[in-house]
Amino acid sequence: MNKAKLMVLPLVIAMGVGISSVALAGGNDCAAKRSAIENQIKEAQRYGNTAKVAGLKKALSETNAHCTNSGLIKDAEQKVTKLEKKLAEKQDDVREVQTDLRQAQAKGDVKKVAKYQKKLTEKQNDVKEVQADLNQARAELAALKS
């Protein structure tokens, strides 16, 4: 592969990801999934990516054969449950680090205090990320149910 193709490849991949994200953001029902896959097929054809076209056509066939809105709701509910568990675990991690931080502060161990403050910030950021994912999953579930 020459250098020009190597430089274009990440751009094409990024465009494909962007297109699929935008298409899926339009809706979560089976019709939206079909539409998103069809748009991805058109893009892959436009770039001459026959392997991707074949894979997407198979995905479209599977979607047409098996996609039901009740199945999507079930999947969304499972995603929410999984994220709720993950959030609880992350919140437990925060509580553990807070305990460690308080103990280090009580002992006056400056090094450990700094270590645990940094760790606490990281764990709190993890909680925020999972909470955002959970909020999004709940919104998608609500949209599917409406």
Side-chain angles (χ1 to χ4, degrees):
M1 211 182 268
N2 65 30
K3 283 186 178 183
K5 285 184 182 178
L6 285 175
M7 293 172 69
V8 172
L9 186 59
L11 176 63
V12 171
I13 291 170
M15 288 176 65
V17 169
I19 290 165
S20 64
S21 299
V22 170
L24 290 176
N28 293 325
D29 62 1
C30 294
K33 283 184 174 277
R34 279 190 282 281
S35 177
I37 295 169
E38 289 166 354
N39 288 337
Q40 290 176 10
I41 289 170
K42 288 175 189 172
E43 279 299 308
Q45 288 171 333
R46 190 170 128 206
Y47 287 102
N49 190 339
T50 55
K52 187 170 185 176
V53 169
L56 288 167
K57 284 186 177 180
K58 182 178 179 189
L60 181 59
S61 173
E62 291 292 318
T63 300
N64 287 332
H66 303 293
C67 187
T68 63
N69 286 343
S70 62
L72 292 174
I73 289 171
K74 182 181 173 190
D75 291 345
E77 287 171 340
Q78 289 173 343
K79 183 177 180 180
V80 166
T81 299
K82 181 180 172 184
L83 286 168
E84 286 172 341
K85 283 183 180 179
K86 188 174 181 178
L87 179 61
E89 290 170 3
K90 297 293 182 182
Q91 289 170 333
D92 286 343
D93 291 346
V94 166
R95 283 188 285 277
E96 287 177 25
V97 174
Q98 285 172 330
T99 299
D100 293 340
L101 176 60
R102 281 192 295 274
Q103 290 173 352
Q105 288 170 332
K107 291 179 182 177
D109 190 333
V110 177
K111 274 186 161 181
K112 283 191 176 183
V113 167
K115 172 187 166 185
Y116 289 126
Q117 284 176 332
K118 180 180 177 188
K119 196 171 187 178
L120 180 59
T121 300
E122 291 170 1
K123 298 294 182 182
Q124 288 171 330
N125 287 337
D126 289 346
V127 167
K128 287 177 188 175
E129 287 178 25
V130 174
Q131 184 66 58
D133 291 344
L134 178 57
N135 291 343
Q136 181 178 351
R138 285 179 174 158
E140 290 170 2
L141 176 59
L144 285 170
K145 287 183 172 182
S146 62

